[in-house]
Amino acid sequence: GQQVMQIPQYQHVQEGEDFTTYCNSSTTLSNIQWYKQRPGGHPVFLIQLVKSGEVKKQKRLTFQFGEAKKNSSLHITATQTTDVGTYFCAGNLLGDMRFGAGTRLTVKP
Amino acid sequence: DARVTQTPRHKVTEMGQEVTMRCQPILGHNTVFWYRQTMMQGLELLAYFRNRAPLDDSGMPKDRFSAEMPDATLATLKIQPSEPRDSAVYFCASGEGQMGTEAFFGQGTRLTVV
């Protein structure tokens, strides 16, 4: 079945440093989504990528979808303490959505 | 403000008891997911429905778990009998469209089985 691998599992950065999390799927995806979950909260949708090679930006966040539609990355420039939480990718194959294990980001002020 | 509503928010039960978790998806959404989240396993897909029909429940232990959608406004996840290893946060999420769009998550049910 479809599997989505996400690395790293944890990332601790100093405020102002950059952060990247990577997501790889065992199968070609219909699209990929990214979610953020704050401690004690629920996953909240950030963005969806659909096209091969697509790049989208949201302020300090940059999302990429690989040419083969099997991998993706989320990059945060100059992290802030408000960025703490767990970032999940979710690979979507015809409506079957599978989440990666998530990357937990902590930011030291 | 449309949102997915889950009840109860917290549940503590004794091993062997039946547990029923409920979810009200966002009106108009035709896809409903059930996920289980633990520290060890992360977010696991238990089951999902489209237009109230179960499409995939392969992630669910069949001997004790069951998921249903009695109508378009209610999804249920039942565990009978419950075991301590079922302790987790159970999330319901809903979305629209066949190809998968944004999934809106409820706040989850935190289940503790003692």
Side-chain angles (χ1 to χ4, degrees):
Chain A
Q2 182 199 162
Q3 290 187 348
V4 176
M5 309 299 291
Q6 190 173 353
I7 57 169
Q9 190 174 1
Y10 302 97
Q11 186 80 59
H12 178 72
V13 300
Q14 189 79 34
E15 188 173 22
E17 292 181 339
D18 291 357
F19 159 77
T20 305
T21 173
Y22 301 89
C23 189
N24 288 289
S25 169
S26 56
T27 59
T28 301
L29 299 168
S30 306
N31 59 56
I32 196 159
Q33 300 174 359
W34 285 91
Y35 291 78
K36 178 183 179 181
Q37 184 177 20
R38 294 183 186 276
H42 58 278
V44 175
F45 176 83
L46 293 176
I47 208 160
Q48 178 171 282
L49 305 171
V50 179
K51 300 177 183 177
S52 169
E54 189 169 13
V55 178
K56 287 188 176 180
K57 291 190 176 184
Q58 289 179 350
K59 297 183 180 178
R60 295 177 294 105
L61 277 62
T62 302
F63 304 84
Q64 294 188 346
F65 201 10
E67 295 290 337
K69 299 182 72 172
K70 284 187 170 184
N71 55 71
S72 182
S73 65
L74 158 59
H75 179 82
I76 302 179
T77 303
T79 55
Q80 300 175 358
T81 55
T82 53
D83 294 326
V84 297
T86 302
Y87 292 84
F88 293 95
C89 62
N92 196 319
L93 183 61
L94 301 178
D96 180 351
M97 193 162 71
R98 306 281 169 158
F99 279 79
T103 297
R104 180 178 295 181
L105 173 66
T106 54
V107 179
K108 184 176 181 181
Chain B
D1 179 32
R3 65 179 66 183
V4 175
T5 304
Q6 287 187 249
T7 57
R9 292 289 313 279
H10 302 272
K11 176 72 175 178
V12 180
T13 191
E14 290 185 347
M15 182 173 63
Q17 296 297 305
E18 178 179 299
V19 175
T20 299
M21 291 168 272
R22 294 177 173 80
C23 169
Q24 180 176 354
I26 292 174
L27 190 64
H29 282 187
N30 63 351
T31 306
V32 174
F33 302 89
W34 281 105
Y35 290 94
R36 175 171 63 185
Q37 187 173 42
T38 61
M39 288 294 293
M40 294 299 295
Q41 300 295 330
L43 269 169
E44 299 174 274
L45 177 66
L46 296 176
Y48 79 98
F49 295 76
R50 183 166 301 131
N51 298 320
R52 295 177 55 201
L55 288 193
D56 186 355
D57 60 2
S58 59
M60 217 164 56
K62 298 291 191 307
D63 57 335
R64 299 185 298 107
F65 284 61
S66 61
E68 296 180 346
M69 280 201 75
D71 60 60
T73 64
L74 177 65
T76 62
L77 180 66
K78 189 176 294 186
I79 308 174
Q80 167 63 21
S82 58
E83 297 180 1
R85 59 179 169 153
D86 301 329
S87 298
V89 180
Y90 290 81
F91 286 106
C92 172
S94 72
E96 55 186 346
Q98 292 223 351
M99 294 301 292
T101 56
E102 174 181 357
F104 293 79
F105 280 75
Q107 293 184 298
T109 294
R110 182 175 294 276
L111 174 65
T112 303
V113 183
V114 298

